[in-house]
Amino acid sequence: MTEPQAINQFWLDEVGAKGWYERSDAVDAKVRDRFMKAWIDAPKLTAGWRDAPEGALAALILTDQFPRNMFRNDARAYSTDPLALRIAGAAIEAGHDLATPEPQRQFFYLPFEHSEELADQDRAVALFTERMPGENLHHAKMHRAAIAHFGRFPWRNADLGRVSTPEEQALLDAGGYGALVSGRVTLDAAAAPA
């Protein structure tokens, strides 16, 4: 059975901050090989982990980060997002995020940033603003702007079998999320969903 320490050691030490946001077929394969069974069992498995900061962190990595590696370009990448949101909310309420040092503290806030609900996006921006300002705040604001503008993340459309609007396709053709981060494309964050 997978223990929280194994998840944290792999993600925090073996992959490390430099590898968290780099696309790597080798890392994706390791995540699948080592943690697929734990991810399948996550609802039951993580229930006992949530009472301590280290366990909650592992539960969030397992349910929010690992599926994005295991299932690139596949709807399953987002299938445990609701569970990750519940774990994150309870962990923050318990103060587990503040008991966790940076940069790993971000994993308590990313489930809100990954949500396609504007209220969750607002919470992500507030959490990063109050508890971990820096580069992650910029990304939280970009995610919020996309949800405020489109009502969804256009870069997920193909994975989820959704048809892109012409405006969404223009963003994707310009480079998708990367175009927002670089400033090549800007959105009216206050705009109603398209």
Side-chain angles (χ1 to χ4, degrees):
M1 175 177 352
T2 301
E3 295 295 326
Q5 297 81 359
I7 291 171
N8 291 342
Q9 187 282 324
F10 170 77
W11 195 244
L12 303 177
D13 301 329
E14 190 174 328
V15 174
K18 201 171 169 189
W20 293 338
Y21 300 107
E22 289 181 2
R23 186 180 190 120
S24 166
D25 292 340
V27 170
D28 291 354
K30 284 181 185 178
V31 173
R32 278 190 300 275
D33 291 346
R34 293 188 196 180
F35 301 106
M36 178 70 81
K37 180 166 181 358
W39 178 80
I40 291 168
D41 296 336
K44 176 182 64 161
L45 184 65
T46 62
W49 297 358
R50 303 176 200 176
D51 295 334
E54 298 81 11
L57 176 62
L60 289 167
I61 292 168
L62 179 64
T63 58
D64 186 64
Q65 296 300 301
F66 283 179
R68 285 164 168 76
N69 290 88
M70 290 189 287
F71 306 115
R72 286 193 194 275
N73 306 314
D74 184 310
R76 291 175 293 174
Y78 319 108
S79 62
T80 52
D81 283 6
L83 175 58
L85 266 173
R86 289 192 302 274
I87 294 168
I92 290 165
E93 188 173 312
H96 296 331
D97 59 322
L98 295 176
T100 302
E102 296 181 23
Q104 55 262 41
R105 182 181 298 165
Q106 68 186 290
F107 298 113
F108 289 88
Y109 310 145
L110 288 176
F112 299 99
E113 185 177 316
H114 290 155
S115 171
E116 290 189 318
E117 297 295 327
L118 187 57
D120 292 332
Q121 291 298 319
D122 290 339
R123 188 163 187 200
V125 170
L127 286 164
F128 278 115
T129 299
E130 296 166 12
R131 300 179 181 199
M132 197 178 159
E135 180 64 21
N136 292 93
L137 177 58
H138 175 67
H139 289 280
K141 288 179 178 179
M142 292 297 98
H143 281 80
R144 188 205 177 278
I147 294 301
H149 189 84
F150 295 109
R152 61 189 187 174
F153 294 126
W155 46 88
R156 288 187 188 173
N157 288 349
D159 297 350
L160 296 172
R162 302 188 302 211
V163 176
S164 295
T165 67
E167 186 183 16
E168 289 174 334
Q169 191 60 54
L171 171 65
L172 296 173
D173 292 345
Y177 181 67
L180 291 178
V181 172
S182 70
R184 289 191 317 270
V185 174
T186 58
L187 300 175
D188 176 5

